[in-house]
């Protein structure tokens, strides 16, 4: 507070930008330091590469144990020496598991997992900034990153080591381990979430026995996000993992997977923070439809049900997703959804928010969509005509009017007879309405 | 799809179709239930009771309800309205005898995804459960609860959690045993959403159970939920802890509840500890004085020293209540030796929310600790908080000065606090200044004229030229209250000259303040001062070059008119108002004319 000078205050108030800058704390601590007050200072161990090969494995274990000591990084003055010793040891450990063969003995597994769990599994602290705006605010970064990063790096190298044996590791990398890993996806630090994403993906790939469990827990996280908290930092990362998982689903799709699509992924479109993960979400949806085209109709109807009513930014995202779906839609599926879908598109085209109208009109630049429209012009044109004709006269934005003219031209070329019919009936209807209004 | 209420299928045989004209408006409403426009459907659903009333109880049962159950596929908004309506439908289907007809549509609604719809459906089900006879409850209601409790998708199981406690007290012991079994199952459901729902209803369910079952059934569930792998479940168990502890006899608390409570107070998740802090007063009452002394005092100390600011703030909020509810023997010792040291640390906490939470309750400790302790131990803390860098902290202290006043008396208070108050009177945040102004009449009344003139008068005058309007306005009102306390003579000698002096200020806002003060003071000062001293100044200001000042002259004359005698009105006020009524500014004209007509000078 006192750091803000009087000249920056207006009427005793501080400007919002100043307040935000003040509030911005660059890093967050962890909830785990309440019990650790008296630390023993670490003393450096000999380097792994200098040790005789008979003693290396022993030294490896000692280093793993040494790295179980945790430090408070919010406190930047104490334990500097110990912190440095641990950092160096972690670096060595990373190097050791990535370059050497035969180091993952059975006895090493519990030590490795213990070191990793001790370091990364922690209760995430309360959010410093509950109304975090990703466009404006800087994310809060994990203070202990100098160590945590190396631990994550180590975990990744450990999983990727050619000697790594899931059958040995599964006693330690179990459901509880995965559950704690998933909780960390709520971290505000994007660097941490990125590591977690790769790690969880590796675990999913290597531990067949954990796959169903991982999917179910992601499912639970998402349901909680959608229906209870509306807040979870790792949605985009989890969706990215799912995107590649869906790719590998066997056909025909299990009921569990279809349920996930309809009851989790589709309702997820209602989230306030959709912009943060929409690309990944749309990718998952399209993956599903490429796997099983018969899901197109329920998916499109689902999107129409949750179509944004007041948020234009979201509407633009929905339109983008619809285009992605139309890019892969089968003509027979298109016929099933064309009526409700084009009713919505017709509303979007007439939207006073020009970005929404523009996004919808861009559909007519897409060759494949054009061919689908042409094939079904007798159904599509009557739905679209009223809106297009009206806004060609009424829309406030000249770019939109120009786009609409092009679209009308394209549609007229597809079926000029129908186009003329619609034009004259539209005009007749308008006239009679005007007359009625005049009589009143 | 089972997660929606059916789909549009058969065309229902409904009112209006058989040519009964009297039902035509109803037919329209029913038609609108199927309209494409959501708003129309919504309107129609909101008039559902009208439709039912017109159809009569029998057709409501046989036609409307099946129609609603089978043929509505809809937006959550419409479903929400429907769920709410059905809760008030008992009389419309023919009274308690037929109330079970409402169960099928509500059952479907209790399974939808959208939480608000589901919650509303459960609320309505709870409501109509009371209208079921014990027999119907067993024949119709309880089977519904069972179906929901064993539903495939988590939504129906979460809904079931809210229904156990309403039917339990009124069913036979066999059915009771089944209900307990279902509740047990849901407490260990593998979906965390369901466990959360069960945990949140645990306390409520415990209350309707027989004491033996509380011990044999609820306690194991409580213990299990309180050590769930998800912190979101564990924290709900804390809430249940309050109800459960209230139900158990004192001698069982130690073995059945305390291990879990102790564990919760030291949970590794700050959310759980926060919940303990937040529910601390309730927990304290529920476990009684002995356990409070032995267990809760150290637990509370830990919460006040927690590593997370959220937890400390929640605990700081409870300081006063916790101390108040301590057993009277030994209360002072406990506070002085255990609580106060923690409170002292919180005064200089790094987090402003913690300090501000403390500031909102800390003054309340003075009543509990008495005069001597307050002066010796609390006053330094109040002073420190009064000088805190965060305005909210200062504000919270100022707003609670009265409780300290009662204990140590105003003179003592003002001697120690006056320097701080004077400093705050010039605080950079206007809300803080405002809070101080509001204390002035109180301080003035208790300090007496002399002390006031010496220490505070200049402050009160300085506020009149504050750059925030709200402060100038409050300062004006403050002057009025001071005059009411100290009398007209005091006003004439100390305030009026200063106020009138501002009429020549180069800043028009200050000139207007003169007028606002006169508005406020004329009545309290009386006719003589108003006519002799104030009126000439007001009249002179009618020539001001700023139109805002001129129309405020008109408003001011209207306001002080009743205080003046008729002679002054006719000879002095009238000509000036007439001149203003011909002003070139529209607003000046308007207010001058208004004053003329109100004062009947036309």
């Amino acid at each position: 507070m006192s750091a803000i000078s009087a000249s920056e205050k207006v009427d005793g108030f501080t400007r919002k930008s100043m307040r935000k800058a003040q509030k911005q704390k660059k890093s967050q601590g962890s909830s785990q330091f309440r019990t650790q007050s008296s630390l023993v200072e670490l003393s450096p161990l000999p380097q792994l590469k200098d040790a005789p090969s008979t003693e290396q494995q022993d030294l490896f274990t000692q280093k793993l144990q040494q790295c179980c000591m945790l430090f408070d990084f919010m406190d930047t003055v104490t334990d500097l020496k110990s912190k440095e010793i641990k950092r160096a040891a972690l670096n060595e450990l990373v190097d050791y598991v990535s370059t050497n063969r035969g180091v993952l003995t059975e006895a090493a597994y519990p030590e490795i997992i213990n070191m990793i769990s001790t370091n990364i599994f922690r209760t995430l602290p309360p959010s410093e900034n509950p109304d975090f705006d990703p466009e404006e605010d800087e994310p809060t970064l994990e203070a202990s990153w100098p160590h945590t990063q190396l631990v994550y790096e180590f975990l990744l190298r450990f999983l990727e080591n050619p000697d790594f044996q899931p059958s040995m590791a599964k006693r330690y990398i179990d459901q509880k381990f995965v559950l704690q890993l998933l909780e960390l996806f709520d971290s505000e630090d994007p660097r941490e979430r990125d590591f977690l994403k790769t790690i969880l993906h590796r675990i999913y790939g290597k531990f067949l026995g954990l796959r169903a469990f991982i999917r179910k827990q992601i499912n639970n996280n998402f349901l909680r996000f959608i229906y209870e908290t509306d807040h979870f930092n790792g949605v985009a990362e989890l969706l990215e993992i799912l995107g590649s998982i869906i790719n590998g689903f066997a056909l025909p799709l299990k009921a569990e997977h279809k349920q996930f699509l309809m009851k989790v992924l589709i309702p997820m479109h209602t989230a306030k923070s959709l912009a943060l993960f929409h690309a990944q979400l749309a990718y998952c949806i399209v993956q599903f439809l490429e796997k099983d085209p018969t899901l197109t109709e329920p998916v499109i109807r689902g999107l129409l049900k949750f179509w944004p009513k007041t948020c234009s930014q979201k509407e633009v995202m929905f339109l983008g997703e619809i285009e992605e779906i139309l890019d892969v839609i089968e003509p027979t599926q298109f016929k099933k959804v064309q009526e409700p879908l084009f009713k919505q598109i017709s509303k979007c085209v007439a939207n006073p928010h020009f970005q929404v109208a523009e996004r919808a009109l861009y559909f007519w630049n897409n060759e494949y969509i054009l061919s689908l429209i042409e094939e079904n012009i007798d159904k599509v044109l009557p739905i679209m005509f009223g809106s297009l004709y009206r806004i060609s006269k009424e829309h406030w934005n000249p770019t939109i009017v120009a786009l609409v003219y092009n679209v009308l031209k394209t549609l007229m070329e597809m079926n000029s007879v129908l186009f003329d019919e619609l034009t004259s009936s539209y005009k007749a209807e308008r006239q009679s309405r005007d007359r009625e209004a005049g009589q009143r | 799809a089972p997660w929606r209420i059916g789909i549009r299928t058969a065309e229902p045989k409904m009112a209006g179709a058989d040519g009964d004209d009297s039902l035509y408006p109803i037919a329209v409403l029913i038609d609108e239930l199927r309209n494409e426009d959501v708003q129309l459907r919504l309107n129609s659903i909101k008039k559902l009771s009208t439709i039912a009333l017109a159809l009569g109880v029998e057709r409501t049962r046989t036609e409307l309800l099946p129609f609603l159950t089978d043929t509505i596929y809809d937006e959550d908004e419409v479903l929400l309205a429907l769920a709410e309506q059905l809760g008030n439908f008992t009389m419309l289907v023919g009274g308690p005898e037929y109330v079970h007809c409402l169960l099928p549509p509500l059952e479907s609604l209790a399974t939808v995804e959208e939480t608000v719809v589901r919650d509303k459906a459960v609320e309505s089900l709870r409501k109509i459960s009371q209208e079921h006879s014990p027999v119907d409850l067993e024949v119709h209601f309880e089977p519904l609860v069972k179906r929901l409790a064993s539903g495939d998708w988590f939504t129906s199981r979460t809904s079931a959690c809210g229904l156990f406690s309403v039917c339990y007290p009124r069913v036979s012991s066999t059915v009771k045993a089944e209900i307990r079994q279902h509740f047990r199952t849901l407490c260990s459901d593998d979906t965390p959403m369901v466990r959360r729902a069960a945990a949140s209803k645990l306390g409520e369910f415990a209350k309707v159970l027989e004491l033996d079952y509380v011990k044999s059934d609820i306690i194991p569930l409580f213990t299990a939920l309180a050590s769930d792998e998800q912190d979101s479940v564990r924290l709900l168990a804390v809430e249940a802890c309050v109800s459960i502890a209230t139900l158990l006899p004192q001698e069982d608390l130690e073995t059945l509840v305390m291990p879990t409570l102790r564990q919760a107070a030291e949970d590794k998740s700050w959310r759980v500890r926060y919940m303990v802090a937040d529910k601390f007063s309730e927990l304290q009452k529920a476990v009684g004085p002995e356990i409070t002394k032995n267990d809760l005092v150290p637990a509370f100390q830990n919460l006040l020293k927690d590593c997370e600011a959220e937890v400390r703030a929640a605990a700081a909020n409870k300081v006063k209540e916790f101390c108040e509810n301590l057993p009277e023997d030994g209360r002072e010792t406990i506070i002085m030796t255990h609580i106060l040291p923690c409170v002292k640390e919180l005064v200089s906490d790094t987090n402003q929310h913690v300090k501000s939470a403390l500031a909102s309750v800390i003054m309340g400790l003075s009543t509990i600790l008495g005069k001597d302790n307050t002066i010796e131990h609390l006053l330094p803390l109040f002073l420190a908080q009064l000088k805190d860098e965060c305005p909210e902290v200062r504000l919270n202290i100022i707003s609670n000065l009265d409780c300290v006043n009662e204990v140590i008396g105003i003179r003592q208070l003002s001697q120690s606090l006056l320097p701080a108050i004077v400093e705050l009177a010039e605080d950079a945040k206007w809300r803080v200044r405002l809070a101080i102004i509001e204390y002035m009449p109180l301080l003035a009344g208790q300090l007496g004229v002399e002390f006031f003139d010496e220490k505070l008068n200049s402050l009160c005058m300085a506020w009149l030229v504050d750059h925030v309007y709200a402060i100038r306005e409050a300062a004006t009102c403050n002057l009025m209250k001071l005059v009411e306390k100290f009398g007209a003579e005091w006003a004439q000698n100390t305030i009026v000259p200063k106020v009138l002096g501002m009429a020549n200020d180069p800043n028009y806002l200050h000139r207007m303040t003169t007028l606002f003060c006169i508005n406020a003071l004329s009545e309290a000062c009386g006719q003589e001062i108003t006519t002799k001293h104030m009126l000439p100044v007001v009249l002179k200001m009618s020539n001001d070059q700023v139109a805002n000042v001129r129309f405020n002259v008109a408003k001011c004359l209207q306001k002080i008119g009743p205080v003046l005698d008729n002679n002054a009105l006719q000879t002095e006020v009238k000509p000036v108002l007439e001149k203003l009524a011909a002003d070139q500014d529209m607003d000046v004209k308007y207010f001058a004319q208004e004053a003329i007509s109100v004062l009947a000078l036309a």
Side-chain angles (χ1 to χ4, degrees), chain A residues 142-162:
Chain A
E142 173 60 42
S144 65
W145 195 241
H147 286 172
T148 320
Q149 175 181 19
L150 293 169
V151 177
Y152 277 120
E153 187 77 44
F154 176 75
L155 171 55
L156 199 54
R157 298 296 170 84
F158 164 64
L159 291 168
E160 287 170 348
N161 187 301

Side-chain angles (χ1 to χ4, degrees), chain B residues 230-258:
Chain B
Q230 306 255 343
D231 59 359
S232 54
V233 179
R234 295 201 298 276
L235 65 86
L236 291 168
V238 175
E239 266 192 294
C241 186
V242 176
S243 321
I244 294 171
T246 317
L247 296 171
L248 292 173
Q250 190 69 32
E251 65 269 22
D252 289 327
L253 287 176
E254 180 51 42
T255 46
L256 299 181
V257 175
M258 286 316 291

Side-chain angles (χ1 to χ4, degrees), chain A residues 13-31:
Chain A
F13 283 111
T14 317
R15 275 186 228 109
K16 190 178 176 196
S17 56
M18 293 300 300
R19 271 206 321 271
K20 281 207 153 178
Q22 280 280 311
K23 232 171 39 183
Q24 216 73 234
K25 206 173 78 179
K26 274 162 244 74
S27 57
Q28 67 183 20
S30 150
S31 266

Side-chain angles (χ1 to χ4, degrees), chain B residues 477-495:
Chain B
C477 179
N478 175 45
L479 287 188
M480 184 178 74
K481 287 183 187 152
L482 291 177
V483 174
E484 281 167 7
K485 281 220 157 68
F486 294 155
E489 198 184 329
W490 175 81
Q492 194 186 341
N493 293 333
T494 51
I495 293 187

Side-chain angles (χ1 to χ4, degrees), chain B residues 83-312:
Chain B
E84 186 172 7
Q85 290 277 317
L86 291 177
N88 302 318
F89 244 56
T90 309
M91 292 323 288
L92 297 168
V93 293
E97 201 182 331
Y98 295 99
V99 66
H100 59 87
C101 302
L102 297 172
L103 297 179
L106 282 171
E107 181 175 356
S108 306
L109 289 166
T111 64
V112 303
E113 244 86 88
E114 181 47 56
T115 326
V116 288
V117 176
R118 228 184 316 133
D119 288 349
K120 189 55 86 179
V122 170
E123 195 185 311
S124 289
L125 279 168
R126 286 169 70 108
K127 206 162 161 188
I128 65 168
S129 72
Q130 302 309 318
E131 282 145 1
H132 281 69
S133 67
V135 176
D136 279 352
L137 207 59
E138 282 192 26
V139 177
H140 300 286
F141 198 89
E142 202 269 342
L144 169 146
V145 178
K146 263 194 249 175
R147 278 194 302 278
L148 288 175
S150 44
D152 277 340
W153 189 240
F154 80 95
T155 52
S156 69
R157 303 202 297 279
T158 45
S159 292
C161 293
L163 298 173
F164 294 118
S165 64
V166 292
C167 50
Y168 189 85
R170 298 169 57 212
V171 293
S172 67
S173 57
T174 347
V175 180
K176 279 184 175 175
E178 283 174 25
I179 292 177
R180 288 196 304 273
Q181 179 53 43
H182 281 294
F183 193 80
R184 264 200 299 278
T185 313
L186 293 182
C187 282
S188 54
D189 198 279
D190 67 12
T191 313
M193 268 81 63
V194 179
R195 294 202 303 278
R196 276 196 286 278
S200 69
K201 299 293 176 193
L202 184 65
E204 177 189 292
F205 189 54
K207 281 184 192 159
V208 299
L209 250 58
E210 298 80 355
L211 184 59
D212 282 347
Y213 291 122
V214 173
K215 290 187 197 172
S216 65
D217 282 41
I218 296 292
I219 294 296
L221 296 175
F222 168 61
T223 316
L225 290 168
S227 43
D228 195 274
E229 63 195 15
Q230 306 255 343
D231 59 359
S232 54
V233 179
R234 295 201 298 276
L235 65 86
L236 291 168
V238 175
E239 266 192 294
C241 186
V242 176
S243 321
I244 294 171
T246 317
L247 296 171
L248 292 173
Q250 190 69 32
E251 65 269 22
D252 289 327
L253 287 176
E254 180 51 42
T255 46
L256 299 181
V257 175
M258 286 316 291
T260 308
L261 181 56
R262 278 187 209 112
Q263 179 193 318
E266 289 178 354
D267 198 280
K268 69 180 187 331
S269 163
W270 61 270
R271 287 190 179 84
V272 179
R273 302 196 304 273
Y274 171 89
M275 199 59 155
V276 175
D278 194 50
K279 298 275 166 231
F280 218 80
S281 305
E282 288 95 322
L283 288 167
Q284 183 186 7
K285 279 182 203 136
V287 299
E290 270 315 299
I291 295 181
T292 297
K293 262 197 254 178
N294 301 333
D295 278 274
L296 294 196
V297 172
F300 194 59
Q301 283 175 290
N302 282 336
L303 293 170
L304 289 172
K305 289 189 235 160
D306 198 275
C307 66
E308 288 301 345
E310 259 76 359
V311 181
R312 292 198 302 279

Side-chain angles (χ1 to χ4, degrees), chain A residues 117-150:
Chain A
S117 309
T118 313
N119 275 284
I120 63 172
F121 294 151
R122 62 204 194 277
T123 307
L124 295 169
S127 174
E128 284 286 320
N129 187 2
D131 14 76
F132 177 73
D133 176 359
E135 308 234 307
E136 245 189 84
D137 302 344
E138 288 290 317
T140 316
L141 299 178
E142 173 60 42
S144 65
W145 195 241
H147 286 172
T148 320
Q149 175 181 19
L150 293 169

